[in-house]
Amino acid sequence: MNRNNFDFLKAMFVNIPIENYHILIINQTTGNNKLESDFENVRVINTTELGLSKSRNMALKQAKKKIVLIADDDVVYLKDFGEHIIQSFNRQTDADFISFKTIVNENGKPFRNYVKVPRALKKKELSRILSIEMCFKKGSIKQVRFNEWFGLGAKFPNMSNQFFLKDLWQQGLKFYEDPTPIVLHEPISSSDEVSTDRILYTRGAVFYKKYGSFAYLYVAKYGFFMLRKGYVSISKLPKKLWKMQEGISDYKQLLKQGLDRR
């Protein structure tokens, strides 16, 4: 975002030659901050539209190769990551979507718990996949796109992956996970995010999108979860519950206006 040089790209590919890969960059920027590419294998689209989901949808529309890997500009790719991806798709010949392993760059440990050997994923396992671990055949996803009401820079600034993966699953795609590490990323503390207003506001909207009127029960359940884990005090709980209620109310307004669907 707001890039005017390729220093970030060099940092991402510090372990491998950039020219080995076909790269598409969506540079969300102001009119004065444009990125121009002189590399044959690097395409750039400068846009003033903001929002992570909008950026990714633009990339999906413009992608030209058979296999797509979602990227963020703060990751570092490991040596031979591209070969690992191709080999994995060659082994899992029926796979439409394969997720890979992320390594925390501070300590060299896996970002989360991963499968021990490559295998098919169950629907309930999709929620743990990071966007930077997503790799899929472009022809398989057809017209499925990220929901632009969700994700960084959107009205509800989180959870965009969840609905994208759900829609792909409903299309009948074959999901696999391969425990081969392909990328380094900074650690993220989930406890720092659990009780923030932006996450709770989004969570309220997500509850309603998924469960309809039962969303209010999930709000209460999540409130007890935060109390039990010590993420909020009893004195702050009403405010946190209200923030989720706000998310529900605002999402219901979108539905009434026909701007989204459950």
Side-chain angles (χ1 to χ4, degrees):
M1 188 172 180
N2 273 323
R3 301 291 188 176
N4 56 21
N5 64 63
F6 287 96
D7 290 347
F8 74 97
L9 194 63
K10 295 175 183 176
M12 292 171 64
F13 287 84
V14 68
N15 298 308
I16 55 265
I18 293 178
E19 57 268 20
N20 289 355
Y21 300 91
H22 295 274
I23 302 168
L24 173 60
I25 299 170
I26 307 299
N27 187 40
Q28 293 182 322
T29 183
T30 62
N32 299 323
N33 234 3
K34 291 188 177 180
L35 188 64
E36 305 292 341
S37 174
D38 293 324
F39 302 99
E40 290 186 5
N41 63 313
V42 179
R43 290 188 294 140
V44 177
I45 297 175
N46 292 290
T47 177
T48 56
E49 286 191 300
L50 300 180
L52 184 61
S53 290
K54 287 186 177 182
S55 172
R56 288 179 175 165
N57 285 342
M58 191 176 296
L60 291 178
K61 182 179 180 180
Q62 297 295 329
K64 295 181 177 180
K65 299 302 175 179
K66 292 181 179 180
I67 296 177
V68 174
L69 174 67
I70 299 290
D72 283 341
D73 60 7
D74 59 350
V75 304
V76 177
Y77 288 108
L78 298 174
K79 185 178 180 181
D80 298 328
F81 83 95
E83 287 80 355
H84 292 316
I85 291 172
I86 293 172
Q87 290 169 8
S88 190
F89 273 101
N90 287 338
R91 286 193 299 267
Q92 280 77 233
T93 55
D94 63 333
D96 299 296
F97 182 111
I98 302 178
S99 64
F100 293 86
K101 181 185 288 186
T102 299
I103 299 296
V104 176
N105 57 11
E106 286 187 2
N107 55 28
K109 295 181 179 180
F111 187 87
R112 57 177 173 85
N113 292 326
Y114 295 86
V115 299
K116 301 299 182 184
V117 296
R119 67 164 174 82
L121 288 176
K122 301 174 183 177
K123 183 179 180 181
K124 65 181 181 180
E125 296 174 311
L126 301 184
S127 61
R128 69 190 190 187
I129 299 173
L130 302 177
S131 60
I132 57 173
E133 298 169 348
M134 295 182 185
C135 197
F136 47 84
K137 295 175 181 176
K138 186 186 178 186
S140 296
I141 70 167
K142 299 179 181 177
Q143 298 304 313
V144 176
R145 295 294 184 265
F146 288 88
N147 188 314
E148 295 183 0
W149 289 108
F150 294 85
L152 289 175
K155 182 175 183 61
F156 305 105
N158 204 276
M159 308 291 185
S160 59
N161 292 344
Q162 185 176 130
F163 297 120
F164 178 67
L165 295 175
K166 176 187 175 184
D167 289 344
L168 292 180
W169 182 271
Q170 291 178 339
Q171 291 284 338
L173 270 65
K174 300 292 185 181
F175 283 78
Y176 282 80
E177 182 167 292
D178 187 322
T180 304
I182 64 168
V183 66
L184 299 174
H185 195 274
E186 296 286 340
I188 299 174
S189 173
S190 58
S191 62
D192 292 342
E193 292 286 313
V194 165
S195 61
T196 59
D197 284 353
R198 74 179 188 89
I199 292 296
L200 295 177
Y201 176 72
T202 301
R203 193 167 289 279
V206 170
F207 284 154
Y208 197 85
K209 184 173 176 64
K210 293 174 68 174
Y211 307 116
S213 297
F214 290 102
Y216 300 98
L217 295 177
Y218 283 89
V219 166
K221 181 179 178 181
Y222 197 75
F224 284 118
F225 163 77
M226 291 190 294
L227 273 179
R228 188 175 71 252
K229 292 292 186 179
Y231 294 140
V232 297
S233 63
I234 189 68
S235 63
K236 293 183 178 179
L237 183 60
K239 178 182 177 182
K240 298 300 183 180
L241 294 175
W242 181 249
K243 184 55 65 173
M244 286 189 279
Q245 298 272 13
E246 284 184 2
I248 291 175
S249 296
D250 287 354
Y251 184 71
K252 288 172 71 174
Q253 287 299 314
L254 290 183
L255 295 178
K256 288 181 180 180
Q257 297 171 39
L259 299 176
D260 199 25
R261 58 179 176 81
R262 289 186 53 225

